[in-house]
Amino acid sequence: MATFVNYQSSRIVELMDAREDQRDAEWLKDALQQAVMLELSTLPPYLCALWSIEDQESDVAQAIRRVVFDEMSHLGLAGNLLTTIGGMPRLADAQTAPKYPGPLPGGVRPDLTVFLSGLTKDSLDLFSRIEEPDDPVTVESSGHTSIGAFYSAIGEAFRQHPQLITGTRQIRRLMSHHGEGNDVLEITWLAGVEKAIGIIKEQGEGTAASPENPHPGEQGELAHFYVFRELFHGRKLIRTSQNPDRWEFLGDAIPMPSVLPMGKVPAGGWEAGGLPAPDDETRQRLVEVNLQYSAMLKFLEDAWEATTTATMQSRLAAAVTRMRMLVEPSQLLMQRALPDGSDKTYGPEFRYVEP
């Protein structure tokens, strides 16, 4: 039986405290498993916000959708970084899968409690704090070690041990051809490691010199932190006329779209949150979403375990199908009122359940 680390603990903080001479193959495997869970943990809150938007073709929906596709590719790249050194991503486990509300895996941004809800100012503030760089080009900062700093440590460990890179069990998916984020490509040597880590870091945080995403799908696309801050402030981020190196949220207005009013999922799910029990149809949809989400994680995990390219692609396609099957029942849940008179609605719980 596999041994699992508690990914809701402070494990990433502990890994960052290790001396450089202790950052060996086992350190890298542990760190990259943490990275896989960290990437996974961002998807449910971003998806809830996206699916709550009534006009899915609106500029705000399209901006969040681009972030979601980027994060999906980051999950694939983190998994490939792990398998190229002989590790195996573990996603499908009720004890270690991200739980909401709760902290980010591994103790990153310990001041944050990640929750699931529809799109609100609170959720946008949460998302930007998740993606926040150590040194943003805007003046806002909470001062905690960033996800990017963790990936920088991983990159340095790879540079110290390039012989660990074997190119085994690599998922390949050409997402950019469909306008769906970055391509997930095989990582077979150090240059591939550097590229993958650069994409993950810079798409989330930007660079020290600019808020722009240096790996964009579209010209002028911002890194995720700045996308979410624009939406939070309701203004485009622009260079100031007095100082071209200074950026402020003083551009064109970005109106908040009309949304389905999904409430915050309580700890343990809707039935554990002290609310009256949902009706049978609502309960059925909650179960359906959790099962599809769990199947998606299992198919994705199994894809990395496949021994042939055909089997890997088949299982990956099955994971993508389960992902798409989450949309309709999740949005139907967001149209069902909570039985507490709050004018809020249900929404997906994204709880892993054993098949």
Side-chain angles (χ1 to χ4, degrees), residues 46-47 49-51 53 55-71 119 124 127 131 179-181 203 213 217-218 220-232 235-236 254-257:
Y46 295 175
L47 286 170
L50 172 62
W51 293 340
I53 299 172
D55 180 4
Q56 287 289 297
E57 300 305 314
S58 68
D59 290 344
V60 173
Q62 291 185 50
I64 297 175
R65 187 177 294 109
R66 284 193 292 270
V67 172
V68 166
F69 282 132
D70 285 346
E71 294 297 338
L119 180 69
L124 288 169
F127 301 164
E131 303 282 357
E180 298 180 349
Q203 281 192 327
N213 172 8
E218 296 182 11
E221 187 177 315
L222 296 179
H224 301 169
F225 170 72
Y226 300 100
V227 170
F228 290 135
R229 291 318 283 174
E230 278 193 335
L231 300 182
F232 174 81
R235 290 282 178 182
K236 287 285 188 180
I254 305 174
M256 281 285 283

Side-chain angles (χ1 to χ4, degrees), residues 113-134:
T113 298
V114 182
F115 57 84
L116 304 181
S117 78
L119 180 69
T120 64
K121 289 285 189 179
D122 282 349
S123 64
L124 288 169
D125 189 50
L126 168 69
F127 301 164
S128 56
R129 296 307 174 191
I130 290 172
E131 303 282 357
E132 184 181 343
D134 280 334

Side-chain angles (χ1 to χ4, degrees), residues 229-308:
R229 291 318 283 174
E230 278 193 335
L231 300 182
F232 174 81
H233 287 289
R235 290 282 178 182
K236 287 285 188 180
L237 180 63
I238 59 171
R239 295 179 188 269
T240 60
S241 56
Q242 298 86 356
N243 183 351
D245 293 327
R246 184 178 178 85
W247 298 73
E248 292 188 8
F249 299 97
L250 297 173
D252 294 341
I254 305 174
M256 281 285 283
S258 178
V259 298
L260 299 168
M262 174 186 167
K264 291 183 180 180
V265 178
W270 294 111
E271 294 200 61
L275 296 171
D279 59 46
D280 289 345
E281 184 177 349
T282 300
R283 182 180 288 110
Q284 181 179 350
R285 295 199 185 283
L286 288 168
V287 169
E288 177 186 358
V289 171
N290 287 333
L291 287 174
Q292 295 290 5
Y293 172 62
S294 303
M296 180 195 77
L297 295 184
K298 182 60 176 163
F299 276 121
L300 187 55
E301 184 178 289
D302 288 348
W304 270 298
E305 292 183 342
T307 57
T308 69

Side-chain angles (χ1 to χ4, degrees), residues 144-158:
H144 290 298
T145 299
S146 69
I147 294 172
F150 178 50
Y151 275 107
S152 292
I154 290 172
E156 183 56 36
F158 268 106

